[in-house]
Amino acid sequence: MSCQETRVLLHAFLDDELDPVRSLGVQGHLDGCRDCAREHAAHRSLRAALRDQALYFRSPQGLESRVRAALGSQGAIERRAGWLGAAGAFLRMRWAWLPAGAVAGLLAVTVIIIGRFGAPPPGPLADDLLGREVVASHVRSLMASHLTDVPSTDQHTVKPWFNGRLDFSPPVKDLAGEGFALVGGRLDYLAGRPVAALVYRRRLHVINLMIWPAPGEPDRSPTVALHQGYHVLHWTQGGMGYWAVSDLNENEMKEFVGLVQR
Ligand SMILES: [Zn+2]
């Protein structure tokens, strides 16, 4: 099994989702490849960190039944409509007669609903978690000496390289003339899917630009976040989601993103 196959299968391997043959293949490769073993260890520690109890909130026992009783059947219908329904019911109620207990209850129901559905709904929280995943991937790409699968400064080499490796064709721009030299491309695995990672250099700084489809999502202008000292800029454009990450300063990152967007 090659390094590339191993990287693609790593998440499924960690989740025990591979058949025995492929699982043995991945294990065999990890036993013999230090780079992939390091990547595997990094994934495992990231997963352990995400399981940190501090990230989860458990409601006290009996609260749910008390809330259900307080809300009555109307509340039950609203709850079935999910998060939005509960929020809507909350807004439609009249503050004047809303008992304090019911307010607390509705907030608790919201917490219970979030807890029950597990993954956060699309929005700032999901973006925040994904932003951390992007940073982890950026750090791994620098640590594991696996920055590029296709080292090339030529966009006409990098773009076709993704053909057949991804189910989409990422836009690839060389921005050497603007001071952001294309270094190459890499296959990465983020948000539970293979994605395109384009690698650029600005002086000694490496920029990873991760791209994957965001079907049906409207264009969104870049948001800036800071995780572990890395700037993460995220935007959607033309049905694609973009994540740019680097230790480069915010102004130059914005300049880079502006050039990619153009
Ligand atoms: Zn390997």
Side-chain angles (χ1 to χ4, degrees):
M1 190 172 283
S2 69
C3 287
Q4 195 177 315
E5 286 171 300
T6 304
R7 302 290 165 109
V8 169
L9 293 174
L10 209 48
H11 278 269
F13 177 73
L14 282 158
D15 290 334
D16 285 326
E17 287 168 351
L18 293 182
D19 59 76
V21 174
R22 283 205 287 182
S23 187
L24 279 172
V26 171
Q27 188 59 59
H29 182 87
L30 291 178
D31 289 344
C33 175
R34 261 195 11 216
D35 282 352
C36 288
R38 211 166 6 196
E39 173 120 4
H40 176 241
H43 274 292
R44 241 191 357 215
S45 54
L46 178 69
R47 282 157 57 94
L50 285 175
R51 274 202 211 100
D52 190 331
Q53 287 303 312
L55 290 171
Y56 295 85
F57 303 93
R58 208 165 283 285
S59 54
Q61 233 181 354
L63 179 65
E64 188 179 352
S65 53
R66 288 207 301 281
V67 170
R68 282 182 192 281
L71 290 174
S73 56
Q74 178 61 28
I77 292 162
E78 297 290 352
R79 263 198 312 281
R80 233 164 275 142
W83 160 265
L84 286 174
F90 182 71
L91 291 174
R92 280 198 296 279
M93 285 190 179
R94 295 283 182 277
W95 286 94
W97 55 266
L98 197 65
V103 175
L106 273 165
L107 290 175
V109 166
T110 306
V111 171
I112 290 166
I113 289 170
I114 291 174
R116 188 163 290 171
F117 282 76
L125 182 58
D127 278 0
D128 186 61
L129 287 174
L130 209 44
R132 285 167 202 278
E133 211 183 317
V134 164
V135 168
S137 168
H138 175 72
V139 172
R140 276 200 309 275
S141 76
L142 301 176
M143 267 182 3
S145 54
H146 180 228
L147 192 56
T148 54
D149 290 322
V150 51
S152 171
T153 56
D154 182 1
Q155 67 200 74
H156 303 294
T157 304
V158 175
K159 189 176 169 66
W161 180 85
F162 286 108
N163 286 344
R165 292 179 166 90
L166 291 169
D167 57 359
F168 64 97
S169 181
V172 180
K173 276 186 189 174
D174 179 23
L175 303 168
E178 289 84 357
F180 297 92
L182 180 67
V183 184
R186 181 180 77 249
L187 211 55
D188 214 315
Y189 197 86
L190 279 168
R193 62 157 300 142
V195 307
L198 303 179
V199 184
Y200 291 85
R201 228 180 250 283
R202 172 78 152 187
R203 298 186 303 275
L204 293 175
H205 304 274
V206 169
I207 305 172
N208 263 294
L209 176 64
M210 279 79 153
I211 307 172
W212 66 93
E217 273 187 44
D219 285 6
R220 272 197 298 166
S221 47
T223 55
V224 185
L226 190 66
H227 294 299
Q228 296 162 252
Y230 295 96
H231 283 112
V232 181
L233 280 76
H234 170 49
W235 73 101
T236 49
Q237 185 182 356
M240 292 278 183
Y242 294 78
W243 294 82
V245 53
S246 177
D247 61 345
L248 190 63
N249 66 70
E250 188 177 331
N251 281 342
E252 282 176 284
M253 279 301 276
K254 283 181 172 163
E255 184 189 339
F256 171 74
V257 168
L259 293 165
V260 174
Q261 281 186 302
R262 211 169 52 190

